[in-house]
Amino acid sequence: MATRTDAPTRREQILKEAARLFAERGFHGVGVDEIGAAVGISGPGLYRHFAGKDAMLAELLVGISGQLLTGAKRRLAEADGVPPEAVLDSLIEGHIDFALDDRPLITLHDRELDRLRDSDRKLVRQLQRQYVELWVEVVRKVYPELTEPTARSAVHSVFGLLNSTPHLGRAGSLPGRGATAELLHRMARGAFGAAGG
């Protein structure tokens, strides 16, 4: 995710370019030579870092699901004693950061998740379920009238809204990151409010 401030490693550079290229042209539309060229190494040089394209795809999709879950757990730990509304706002902000800064990974997930080995796909789904359940718990504290199934549906709906960022147009065509983040935040809270109202 884009929260790191230190320089990316070669491995992280490869993953970032692989995600971009896979999102633009599809997993099978990109060769290792193109990924290597995007980071300034030969295609075969990628094999010093990854066993192949399948390994890159798995690391990207398992990795982002794990990062989202870890980030949400960290936000909850830091929010001890904070009102539930502020905790929900923090979760929304974290997901918006992902949705705006890692747009190729959203596209990649939508298009290529089925290409993962069964074990990797199951791990992605397991991490995602844990992430959803953290949100459900917080949403029910803010909107106690919601049943658990309704809260879960609302969380999935808000994820759909926030993860629509790849369809908003090119990054330069958006009203600016700050304004887009504020808009998405208002819409997410509005959706939860509608579910609870």
Side-chain angles (χ1 to χ4, degrees):
M1 290 174 59
T3 55
R4 281 184 60 136
T5 56
D6 50 337
T9 65
R10 175 61 64 150
R11 188 177 178 85
E12 290 167 335
Q13 291 170 345
I14 292 168
L15 287 172
K16 180 178 179 180
E17 289 304 315
R20 180 184 64 79
L21 290 167
F22 292 159
E24 287 175 2
R25 299 206 306 270
F27 180 74
H28 288 302
V30 178
V32 292
D33 290 335
E34 295 169 90
I35 298 168
V39 295
I41 61 176
S42 70
L46 290 178
Y47 294 110
R48 288 194 299 270
H49 302 277
F50 296 95
K53 286 192 334 179
D54 290 335
M56 289 180 218
L57 181 64
E59 187 159 331
L60 284 164
L61 295 181
V62 172
I64 195 57
S65 296
Q67 289 174 35
L68 284 168
L69 178 60
T70 299
K73 286 180 176 179
R74 187 193 77 247
R75 287 173 180 270
L76 290 176
E78 292 170 353
D80 189 33
V82 174
E85 292 83 1
V87 177
L88 181 57
D89 285 335
S90 179
L91 288 175
I92 292 170
E93 289 164 10
H95 199 95
I96 288 171
D97 285 343
F98 157 68
L100 291 177
D101 298 338
D102 293 307
R103 292 167 70 186
L105 289 175
I106 296 171
T107 301
L108 195 59
H109 180 277
D110 290 346
R111 290 185 189 160
E112 310 291 355
L113 181 64
D114 289 341
R115 297 197 190 285
L116 292 181
R117 294 179 313 181
D118 285 345
S119 59
D120 289 327
R121 190 170 51 251
K122 286 177 184 175
L123 180 54
V124 168
R125 292 298 190 202
Q126 178 186 31
L127 293 167
Q128 289 173 338
R129 279 192 300 273
Q130 291 175 43
Y131 183 61
V132 168
E133 293 311 309
L134 290 177
W135 279 68
V136 168
E137 185 177 332
V138 173
V139 167
R140 291 194 72 209
K141 288 178 182 173
V142 178
Y143 303 100
E145 68 278 11
L146 291 180
T147 65
E148 191 172 303
T150 301
R152 191 171 293 108
S153 294
V155 167
H156 281 290
S157 297
V158 167
F159 287 170
L161 169 77
L162 298 178
N163 291 345
S164 69
T165 55
H167 309 290
L168 296 178
R170 291 184 316 277
S173 68
L174 300 177
R177 191 190 188 289
T180 302
E182 288 176 19
L183 173 63
L184 289 171
H185 197 118
R186 286 195 310 273
M187 293 176 71
R189 282 306 298 263
F192 283 130

